Amino acid sequence: MSACFLQVPMVASIPSTSHSLKNRNLRSVCSCIGFRSSSAQIPMPPVNPNDPFLSKLASVAATSPETLFNRPVNSDTPPYLDIFDSPTLMASPAQVERSVQYNEHNPTSPPPDLPSLLLHGRIVYIGMPLVPAVTELVIAELMYLQWMDPKAPIYMYVNSTGTTRDDGESVGMEAEGFAIYDAMMQLKNEVHTVGVGAAIGHACLLLSAGSKGNRSMMPHSKAMIQQPRVPSSGLMPASDVLIRAKEAVTNRDTLIKLLAKHTENSEETIRTAMRRPFYMDGTRAKEFGVIDKILWRGQESIIADVGAPEEWDKKAGIKSVDSF
């Protein structure tokens, strides 16, 4: 399936001459995007209705669209994540299409669909297994965002089962994950990666390949690394099955080298962990080197302000045994 991408205006291009004009523009945004019933002819693209991030974003845009456009300029939170909570695993793929009727030179025209709204916030959202259509779209968006501004960071939100489904069946070639990885490495921009559900297999590699210090996960997200799977051999002759098996071993070795590079673990450590599916929550992924931080919605600053146990004992008048 061929997928095309849109050239959308930056946030600064949205006019704000008056409060009434701003409200009219916001209402126009919602009607064009398709969040409210209207006579607009621009269709809503087919996205997975079970995707928690897109569903929450659509709900907020329908009820209070001003929260999507009045964003803080210097926020430590990646775009739109402050309105999202409790991510879950995205299991089934969905088609991704783009509306072709959009005038990038008209700043009053809003993005016509939800994926374009994400692109408008410099977000590349991977919410499906890595199949060719997804790879084509993601690479196109990365190239477009670099063209728009080669210095501004790009945010990649990952909620994907990689080149397999959640039940382990292969749905895409390992080359799909490597293609997106190579595109990330060629960008001039920093890529801030965020795990918002599950990052399995090659999706975990993409999560770990973000800019150092800007790789994060939501508190209830999961990451998992595993060996590449051999596609179904079907009626292949034995010689072809052997060729496929050798290619799977080559892909495994490449994946091990790249994960070792970005997690700063030895190849033997990665190889041992990948013998069986290796699941990681946010804390374990941080210790393993997949990410740098967990997005706790401010809890980190609260915990940092809590005094040490010795300080609490001193204030309470309790003396340690060692002081006697």
Side-chain angles (χ1 to χ4, degrees):
M1 180 183 66
S2 175
C4 59
F5 64 99
L6 297 176
Q7 298 182 354
V8 298
M10 300 303 291
V11 176
S13 64
I14 297 177
S16 56
T17 55
S18 66
H19 181 70
S20 60
L21 179 59
K22 188 173 183 180
N23 289 336
R24 287 199 299 272
N25 286 335
L26 290 174
R27 287 195 295 270
S28 176
V29 169
C30 293
S31 62
C32 287
I33 294 175
F35 295 129
R36 294 179 180 174
S37 59
S38 66
S39 59
Q41 298 301 316
I42 300 177
M44 180 67 181
V47 296
N48 194 314
N50 297 322
D51 191 294
F53 178 78
L54 297 182
S55 300
K56 180 64 176 180
L57 186 62
S59 175
V60 173
T63 56
S64 54
E66 64 278 357
T67 61
L68 299 179
F69 291 93
N70 299 334
R71 314 299 301 171
V73 178
N74 295 319
S75 174
D76 293 332
T77 303
Y80 302 154
L81 272 190
D82 54 336
I83 62 174
F84 178 58
D85 194 14
S86 300
T88 56
L89 174 63
M90 246 285 302
S92 58
Q95 285 185 313
V96 176
E97 295 181 0
R98 289 285 191 267
S99 171
V100 296
Q101 299 178 350
Y102 183 72
N103 183 7
E104 63 170 320
H105 302 293
N106 184 1
T108 61
S109 299
D113 52 51
L114 188 55
S116 295
L117 180 61
L118 295 174
L119 192 64
H120 186 71
R122 299 188 63 81
I123 297 172
V124 175
Y125 184 64
I126 305 178
M128 292 160 287
L130 302 181
V131 295
V134 175
T135 301
E136 176 187 359
L137 181 64
V138 169
I139 294 178
E141 290 181 337
L142 291 174
M143 295 172 61
Y144 170 72
L145 290 175
Q146 178 183 242
W147 175 79
M148 283 290 293
D149 190 343
K151 296 182 179 180
I154 297 174
Y155 300 91
M156 179 179 287
Y157 293 179
V158 181
N159 182 19
S160 173
T161 55
T163 55
T164 64
R165 295 192 317 207
D166 61 321
D167 59 1
E169 182 179 347
S170 179
V171 295
M173 297 179 62
E174 304 299 324
E176 307 298 338
F178 291 137
I180 298 176
Y181 171 83
D182 288 339
M184 292 172 62
M185 296 299 102
Q186 295 298 321
L187 292 175
K188 300 177 182 178
N189 310 70
E190 285 191 349
V191 180
H192 298 194
T193 54
V194 185
V196 293
I200 296 176
H202 273 270
C204 186
L205 170 64
L206 301 180
L207 178 63
S208 67
S211 301
K212 199 68 173 178
N214 295 294
R215 306 171 302 171
S216 54
M217 287 174 62
M218 295 293 282
H220 303 101
S221 298
K222 296 289 184 181
M224 189 264 276
I225 56 176
Q226 61 182 355
Q227 297 189 45
R229 304 301 177 91
V230 178
S232 177
S233 58
L235 300 177
M236 288 184 183
S239 57
D240 289 2
V241 174
L242 180 60
I243 292 173
R244 288 286 188 96
K246 289 181 177 179
E247 179 63 18
V249 172
T250 300
N251 290 333
R252 181 200 63 188
D253 294 341
T254 302
L255 184 60
I256 288 174
K257 291 179 180 178
L258 295 178
L259 283 171
K261 171 185 175 182
H262 292 287
T263 63
E264 298 182 352
N265 287 305
S266 65
E267 292 186 15
E268 186 58 34
T269 300
I270 302 295
R271 190 182 303 274
T272 301
M274 284 179 57
R275 288 177 180 172
R276 304 295 298 169
F278 183 68
Y279 284 90
M280 295 170 280
D281 58 8
T283 302
R284 196 172 187 182
K286 183 178 179 181
E287 295 173 352
F288 198 73
V290 174
I291 62 171
D292 304 301
K293 55 187 175 181
I294 305 172
L295 299 179
W296 285 105
R297 291 181 175 272
Q299 282 95 324
E300 287 183 335
S301 59
I302 296 175
I303 294 174
D305 293 335
V306 176
E310 294 79 8
E311 184 178 348
W312 282 91
D313 292 343
K314 183 178 180 181
K315 291 180 180 180
I318 302 175
K319 295 183 178 180
S320 63
V321 178
D322 298 335
S323 62
F324 288 99

